[in-house]
Amino acid sequence: MAGKSSVNRLPPVVKAYIQKLLREDRHTLDEMIADVRARFPNEKAPSRSALGRFKVGFEQLNEKARQYREQAEAFVGALGEDSSDKTGALLVEAVSTLTYQAAMGAHENDEVTIKEVAALARAAKATMEARTLSLKERQAIERAAREKLLQEQAAELDKSVQAGGMDEEQAMFWRKKFLGVQ
């Protein structure tokens, strides 16, 4: 089993800076190494090959994120801005897919560490919580929309009664039948 990347072993501030340089996509590997050495003289800069391998993985991850973002935007474009529950569901599916891919990658290794198993378990739990939250959010939105509709209908009914369009007995009939008011 391959060891942990030398880039991943760097202090978080150095790794974050390397990721920033990769996102900017303006420098060669040699320029990035020189920049890291100049900015962090007390830290050992990664080798050119380690940085190259890290860049490949970083670009693959960014490409997947870009694809998921494009899919979400396509959903919004096709279904309208009110489809946030559908784009949220797409995001949950994306996380599920990534978790599954990570689990399969861990399974293919001959040795899976307890740390990797724990990380996969946390990812799976977070995915399930996201699915549950998405359902609860949709239900809350539906309840709020229903309550708002009932309030609007009650206001319209009151206007009709006040305008003399119906008597109180008719108004009570409609309140009971459609608004559920007793």
Side-chain angles (χ1 to χ4, degrees):
M1 183 166 110
K4 190 174 182 181
S5 164
S6 61
V7 175
N8 285 325
R9 288 190 302 248
L10 291 170
V13 66
V14 179
K15 184 178 172 187
Y17 185 70
I18 289 172
Q19 290 172 337
K20 175 184 165 285
L21 293 175
L22 290 171
R23 275 191 302 277
E24 290 174 355
D25 197 25
R26 296 183 300 146
H27 306 286
T28 66
L29 294 176
D30 293 327
E31 290 171 339
M32 285 192 286
I33 291 170
D35 192 356
V36 169
R37 284 184 180 140
R39 185 179 272 279
F40 304 100
N42 296 331
E43 297 295 333
K44 183 180 178 194
S47 68
R48 188 176 196 286
S49 60
L51 186 57
R53 286 188 301 271
F54 185 79
K55 180 180 180 181
V56 168
F58 185 80
E59 288 173 345
Q60 288 174 343
L61 185 61
N62 281 340
E63 177 62 20
K64 282 184 181 181
R66 184 191 61 75
Q67 288 173 350
Y68 288 131
R69 208 172 23 257
E70 285 178 356
Q71 289 172 349
E73 289 171 3
F75 267 116
V76 171
L79 303 172
E81 288 296 326
D82 292 337
S83 63
S84 60
D85 59 331
K86 289 183 174 65
T87 55
L90 175 64
L91 180 60
V92 169
E93 287 303 316
V95 171
S96 299
T97 301
L98 291 173
T99 303
Y100 176 75
Q101 287 174 344
M104 291 308 295
H107 176 69
E108 290 170 1
N109 290 337
D110 290 338
E111 299 175 25
V112 179
T113 66
I114 296 297
K115 186 177 179 180
E116 290 171 330
V117 171
L120 288 170
R122 282 191 300 275
K125 180 182 177 199
T127 301
M128 293 308 294
E129 287 172 352
R131 288 177 189 234
T132 302
L133 182 61
S134 179
L135 175 62
K136 288 180 181 176
E137 287 175 343
R138 282 197 306 271
Q139 289 171 340
I141 290 168
E142 289 170 359
R143 272 193 305 276
R146 174 84 176 134
E147 288 172 12
K148 183 178 178 184
L149 177 64
L150 288 174
Q151 289 172 352
E152 290 171 356
Q153 289 174 338
E156 284 298 317
L157 185 58
D158 290 342
K159 283 182 190 175
S160 295
V161 170
Q162 288 175 356
M166 65 176 84
D167 61 29
E168 193 57 39
E169 186 177 320
Q170 290 173 322
M172 281 308 294
F173 169 79
W174 291 113
R175 282 190 184 100
K176 286 179 185 176
K177 181 145 178 97
F178 290 104
L179 302 178
V181 177
Q182 296 296 331

